[in-house]
Amino acid sequence: MEEGNKNEESRVLVKGSELYEVVQLEVDKGRSKYHFVDTLSRIWFGPILGQTINSNSLDEYWPEVASNSHGAWKGIRHEIIKIDPKVAVAQGWNPGDPLKVLLRIKPIEKKMNGGIGINQVVQVDSKGMGPISFLSYGRTNVFGAGEAISAKVEMYMKSLKRQFQVEFRKPLDISSPIPSHFIATLFHNSNEQELQAFHQNDSGLSLSYSKGHHTFQWLGSIRNVIPRSDAPFEIRQFSGESFKSAIKHVYRLDNRDDPSLPTVGWANSISSEIAGAGGDVHHVKQEAMVQYNFPLHNGLGTFNLFGQFGYILPYNGDRVRTCDRIHMQMVGFERFGVGPRSYGKPLGGGLHYCLAAHLTSNNLIKDFGLPVHGQIYIKAGNLANAPESSIGSVKECLTNLVDPTNARVVVGGGLVVPFQNIRLELNHTIAVKVAPTDLTKSFGLGLSLELSP
Amino acid sequence: QRQNNQPQQTRSMALNTIFVTRSRDGDNLPFHPASLRIKVIAELTGFPHVVKEWDDHLISPTEELPMLLTPERQMIGEPFLVAQLVRKGFDLDASHTDSEQLDIRMLNFLHTKLDNIWDYHCWLNPNNSVASEVERNSKVPIPVMCVRYLTSTEIKEVGRLKAMNYVKAEQAYSEAQELIALLADKLQDKVWFFGDKPSSFDALIFGHLYCMLFKEQEDMSLSVMVQSYSNLVQFCNRVLKDILGVTKVLPPTADKKTLFRNLGKEVSLPQFEDLKLDSKFSWKPVLGFVAVACGVTAFYLDRRN
């Protein structure tokens, strides 16, 4: 046992790899509020009390503790202080037993996060992949209970997309095993929709509450659609400003082993949105997705099934605006290549479905450094026009949607390379059945965060 | 009174839609000279169309209403509408002599002059500009109105000042007085400006005269100017009744402001007429400076801690 510095209370700081019995626990709350530290302490530090520990083992334990502090702490520092020998003896210590010690824990506050830089983006925009320059700044544990404030400015260099966002995040009910958060976001986005021939500015505020698999959100957004000179009438008629006030609920459950290359498990999500609580946009929008994965016999690969359905329905005499329409992305088609068009410009639709079946192999090339999987697939889907707020129009659009003669069907195969939670695909697709206005693409390189159509 | 200048070939029965600005009085007559002009021309030539009222000028490819949408979904915006109608064979000036047609084309410059005067009267006359802005935002949600106020007011005023070159009200209203006198002299006691047949010039002038006479605003200087020429008032009422089927009563002007009624006399102009951009205070740079100062202070304090 090494002796450290003696403090005024004759307690000795000790270090080492020997075993100690923790009989007292002290937590230095630092900048955090008492309630926040107390709740987290009880959950994570309580089990330590009365235990026999090894100082080095604590160093391995703290990162997990810090990761559950809602971003407030970046680490934990501890001190092991030997208690008064007389007190130790009075508590039943005998020579040869592990020393009875006081464990003092001090969370290391994470003060600032953020940065300046240029990133190669994974999330594609209308011009595809390209660099993003960003500037961000954030502070954690702002008011001492795990709150975080951050501001971010992003500029997509290839397209003219600009995003500015200020976010306030607060963890709620810290003691609950199911995490819950309140998030308020102020944003301003400027986006050039080049393929659709209009520019869109969005400014607004969103308030969301998430607990477990559920997220409830209110979104207030002022959208300004400015058509380009070559925009067709169907886009021009929805130009100008509109104020959308919408309440949204998202339920998402995912028990796949790996979203980018799932081999077992399933995932589903349902989102429902009602716009019209104030504002001049009135619609009901729902989207549902389900995905199943079955490992094949003898571990040869995986069979993946994917299904997606969505609709947007206006009410109160409103019509579905250009910026609210649904766009469907399918392998084998150009971006915005599926659905209604006018003078070559994609208009988007109001009802869509997509069904897909994949057969994914195991790693084909051993000792390559990166796993390379093969896949073959068949996909079918349709995107029908947006209905107006009348029963007849909805029936007509639904009939168009489910009509087999309007379905798009593609088959194909390719390679899949999962890389750091990103799915990189190189595919060759054959269009079996497409609409005359669709824009197909035989060879495609795709990036996504999860298996999608 | 309507002329039928249809071409010899079979007339298309497909529907054309003319988008005009929205009327406020429920009589389908918007206070927008260009929209009224095209309505009169379409009625006089028998052009098959339906009229649709619209709020946003951005629907037009030229960003100006009125706009024509053909059955083939082709869009033609102002100022190319009249030329498009002529190309389709609906030419109101076809029955006039060559020299009259030349005169009509030469006098078309009055459209720009009168347009600028009308814009000034609505948006830069301090007695009328607030009401015009309120009217523009009346059907818009409050958050959109706030964003418009924060982002576009200064830009609009800069644009209008530069386009019109009217730095002082005296310039705008003295020119208005001269033009109105010119029109009265041109019309005399005739039915139409160019004899006994209507022309596109009549439609053009009617659009402007209607707006000047009938729009109720705090300052009715233009209405008073036009009302002093009875032949112009009769011309306007005649077109309203015979072509558009509407009868309207002139709004009262006795209790309205007419700051520029007698420009020959000494008129004390309000001081805010001298709009200079560099003297206009804006909150935006102040808010921007405060935001940057807060950010820098927070960064410094964080580093210090």
Side-chain angles (χ1 to χ4, degrees):
Chain A
M1 180 176 69
E2 297 169 9
E3 293 221 352
N5 299 323
K6 279 193 178 182
N7 60 17
E8 294 176 1
E9 298 169 325
S10 304
R11 290 189 288 185
V12 180
L13 292 173
V14 296
K15 299 180 193 179
S17 58
E18 295 186 23
L19 296 176
Y20 308 101
E21 183 185 344
V22 177
V23 297
Q24 286 184 34
L25 191 66
E26 273 184 13
V27 179
D28 183 345
K29 70 180 182 67
R31 273 197 316 120
S32 301
K33 284 184 179 165
Y34 174 77
H35 166 73
F36 182 70
V37 177
D38 179 56
T39 307
L40 284 180
S41 304
R42 211 176 306 146
I43 298 171
W44 299 104
F45 305 153
I48 297 177
L49 197 62
Q51 299 298 314
T52 304
I53 59 158
N54 171 298
S55 178
N56 292 338
S57 67
L58 283 177
D59 291 331
E60 294 166 6
Y61 178 60
W62 295 142
E64 185 189 341
V65 174
S67 68
N68 289 291
S69 66
H70 304 281
W73 304 333
K74 65 179 178 185
I76 310 284
R77 190 185 297 131
H78 70 266
E79 296 168 340
I80 299 177
I81 303 164
K82 193 172 77 170
I83 65 171
D84 193 323
K86 291 180 185 172
V87 174
V89 167
Q91 288 185 356
W93 180 82
N94 292 310
D97 289 346
L99 282 178
K100 292 187 185 293
V101 297
L102 158 75
L103 180 64
R104 179 180 291 154
I105 297 164
K106 179 165 184 174
I108 305 169
E109 302 264 355
K110 191 192 285 186
K111 288 181 184 174
M112 186 187 86
N113 55 54
I116 302 172
I118 295 181
N119 248 344
Q120 194 69 15
V121 70
V122 171
Q123 179 72 33
V124 295
D125 57 11
S126 63
K127 282 202 173 188
M129 197 168 52
I132 294 180
S133 63
F134 68 91
L135 170 66
S136 66
Y137 175 74
R139 286 213 59 166
T140 57
N141 209 18
V142 177
F143 303 118
E147 302 90 351
I149 291 181
S150 63
K152 184 162 72 171
V153 177
E154 280 184 345
M155 292 191 341
Y156 291 70
M157 308 306 279
K158 238 182 163 182
S159 65
L160 296 176
K161 189 171 176 179
R162 309 278 184 268
Q163 286 186 329
F164 169 73
Q165 179 179 294
V166 174
E167 183 181 277
F168 172 76
R169 176 187 287 258
K170 179 176 170 62
L172 304 171
D173 197 9
I174 302 161
S175 58
S176 168
I178 302 173
S180 61
H181 287 94
F182 168 76
I183 303 173
T185 308
L186 201 63
F187 59 89
H188 174 76
N189 301 328
S190 175
N191 196 4
E192 180 75 34
Q193 300 282 7
E194 188 179 329
L195 294 175
Q196 295 171 279
F198 67 87
H199 184 93
Q200 182 173 341
N201 293 324
D202 285 339
S203 307
L205 172 71
S206 90
L207 305 172
S208 66
Y209 166 73
S210 68
K211 188 175 177 79
H213 304 299
H214 296 270
T215 302
F216 297 90
Q217 182 189 46
W218 172 81
L219 172 70
S221 169
I222 300 166
R223 301 94 54 89
N224 190 7
V225 172
I226 304 163
R228 232 171 37 205
S229 57
D230 58 337
F233 176 73
E234 287 81 358
I235 290 173
R236 290 194 166 279
Q237 62 180 331
F238 298 114
S239 59
E241 290 139 328
S242 60
F243 176 53
K244 174 178 168 182
S245 171
I247 298 171
K248 187 173 180 177
H249 169 249
V250 179
Y251 172 79
R252 189 172 170 90
L253 193 58
D254 189 346
N255 67 0
R256 295 174 293 185
D257 54 343
D258 181 358
S260 61
L261 193 75
T263 59
V264 70
W266 52 275
N268 67 40
S269 73
I270 302 172
S271 79
S272 308
E273 177 183 284
I274 300 177
D280 52 356
V281 177
H282 301 91
H283 66 240
V284 173
K285 186 174 181 179
Q286 282 199 302
E287 293 200 14
M289 182 278 292
V290 64
Q291 207 244 311
Y292 280 93
N293 306 285
F294 307 96
L296 295 177
H297 185 58
N298 287 338
L300 292 174
T302 314
F303 181 59
N304 317 102
L305 283 176
F306 183 93
Q308 191 176 49
F309 171 71
Y311 72 88
I312 179 166
L313 195 63
Y315 66 92
N316 206 24
D318 201 1
R319 295 178 69 189
V320 179
R321 288 169 173 75
T322 305
C323 47
D324 293 322
R325 289 180 170 223
I326 297 173
H327 292 275
M328 197 170 82
Q329 186 62 33
M330 258 175 83
V331 167
F333 294 88
E334 297 278 357
R335 191 166 174 81
F336 299 118
V338 181
R341 307 182 87 82
S342 176
Y343 287 92
K345 306 293 180 211
L347 301 177
L351 298 105
H352 81 109
Y353 75 86
C354 182
L355 305 167
H358 287 240
L359 206 58
T360 310
S361 73
N362 287 338
N363 189 4
L364 296 175
I365 307 173
K366 309 282 184 208
D367 301 324
F368 180 59
L370 282 176
V372 178
H373 302 257
Q375 68 169 356
I376 55 174
Y377 49 80
I378 178 167
K379 302 183 196 242
N382 191 10
L383 178 65
N385 214 344
E388 299 185 12
S389 52
S390 68
I391 300 288
S393 175
V394 173
K395 278 184 183 170
E396 186 188 335
C397 291
L398 206 53
T399 307
N400 283 336
L401 181 76
V402 300
D403 187 353
T405 56
N406 294 332
R408 280 82 164 169
V409 180
V410 297
V411 295
L415 300 174
V416 177
V417 179
F419 175 68
Q420 291 187 3
N421 297 328
I422 298 167
R423 182 186 173 96
L424 177 67
E425 293 186 32
L426 179 62
N427 295 313
H428 172 56
T429 309
I430 300 168
V432 174
K433 188 176 175 312
V434 297
T437 53
D438 290 344
L439 300 177
T440 56
K441 189 168 68 170
S442 301
F443 284 96
L445 177 67
L447 279 173
S448 59
L449 297 175
E450 60 178 338
L451 175 64
S452 61
Chain B
Q1 293 287 336
R2 294 187 191 182
Q3 283 195 4
N4 193 350
N5 292 333
Q6 305 314 314
Q8 293 299 319
Q9 62 266 32
T10 307
R11 214 166 90 188
S12 166
M13 294 304 292
L15 218 51
N16 298 282
T17 309
I18 296 180
F19 289 80
V20 299
T21 58
R22 201 171 285 280
S23 63
R24 303 289 171 194
D25 297 339
D27 54 7
N28 298 324
L29 293 176
F31 288 113
H32 188 241
S35 295
L36 289 166
R37 175 191 188 188
I38 205 65
K39 277 173 80 86
V40 170
I41 290 178
E43 288 294 326
L44 283 171
T45 57
F47 178 64
H49 70 283
V50 290
V51 173
K52 200 159 186 177
E53 293 190 348
W54 206 260
D55 285 317
D56 205 312
H57 288 255
L58 285 178
I59 192 176
S60 165
T62 58
E63 297 183 8
E64 281 293 332
L65 286 175
M67 182 189 85
L68 169 68
L69 178 70
T70 67
E72 300 83 25
R73 308 303 249 186
Q74 191 187 8
M75 295 173 286
I76 300 101
E78 176 75 3
F80 307 109
L81 255 182
V82 175
Q84 181 68 12
L85 259 61
V86 168
R87 216 171 288 129
K88 283 178 178 284
F90 298 91
D91 186 0
L92 201 53
D93 301 334
S95 56
H96 288 270
T97 63
D98 288 345
S99 78
E100 282 176 343
Q101 287 187 29
L102 187 62
D103 284 343
I104 291 167
R105 279 201 291 276
M106 285 177 64
L107 284 173
N108 269 335
F109 80 95
L110 283 176
H111 176 61
T112 308
K113 285 276 185 188
L114 291 169
D115 228 17
N116 288 345
I117 290 167
W118 179 244
D119 270 350
Y120 188 95
H121 182 68
C122 290
W123 297 101
L124 287 180
N125 182 327
N127 294 321
N128 295 337
S129 58
V130 172
S132 297
E133 198 67 45
V134 167
E135 187 183 289
R136 180 176 164 256
N137 292 324
S138 60
K139 297 254 165 87
V140 161
I142 292 174
V144 174
M145 198 188 337
C146 294
V147 170
R148 275 188 185 175
Y149 176 75
L150 286 171
T151 60
S152 69
T153 307
E154 195 175 306
I155 297 169
K156 261 203 211 20
E157 292 195 7
V158 169
R160 288 202 173 92
L161 268 181
K162 286 184 178 170
M164 290 184 284
N165 292 319
Y166 291 141
V167 179
K168 294 197 177 203
E170 197 176 31
Q171 291 173 316
Y173 287 97
S174 62
E175 197 157 282
Q177 205 162 46
E178 286 172 13
L179 289 173
I180 290 168
L182 177 76
L183 289 170
D185 187 56
K186 175 74 182 164
L187 180 64
Q188 298 283 342
D189 55 357
K190 301 196 295 289
V191 177
W192 304 105
F193 278 91
F194 285 91
D196 55 355
K197 284 174 288 190
S199 65
S200 60
F201 186 74
D202 294 289
L204 184 156
I205 296 303
F206 165 76
H208 288 286
L209 289 181
Y210 175 84
C211 295
M212 289 178 186
L213 274 172
F214 290 99
K215 182 161 188 185
E216 279 206 63
Q217 293 170 296
E218 201 175 317
D219 187 313
M220 302 278 284
S221 298
L222 294 181
S223 183
V224 168
M225 282 182 203
V226 177
Q227 284 184 47
S228 62
Y229 298 96
S230 59
N231 60 341
L232 291 179
V233 176
Q234 286 165 14
F235 164 79
C236 206
N237 284 329
R238 204 160 47 235
V239 174
L240 269 176
K241 189 179 168 207
D242 296 342
I243 311 299
L244 299 173
V246 171
T247 309
K248 280 192 91 153
V249 176
L250 283 172
T253 56
D255 58 341
K256 299 288 184 182
K257 291 181 185 174
T258 49
L259 281 175
F260 311 105
R261 185 198 295 260
N262 298 300
L263 287 172
K265 298 180 185 173
E266 288 293 322
V267 176
S268 167
L269 296 174
Q271 289 176 356
F272 44 70
E273 284 298 317
D274 296 330
L275 285 170
K276 288 179 188 170
L277 298 175
D278 54 0
S279 66
K280 187 173 173 63
F281 178 73
S282 170
W283 279 105
K284 283 186 213 169
V286 174
L287 287 173
F289 175 76
V290 169
V292 170
C294 287
V296 170
T297 307
F299 188 78
Y300 169 71
L301 288 174
D302 182 73
R303 283 291 182 200
R304 200 176 148 188
N305 288 335

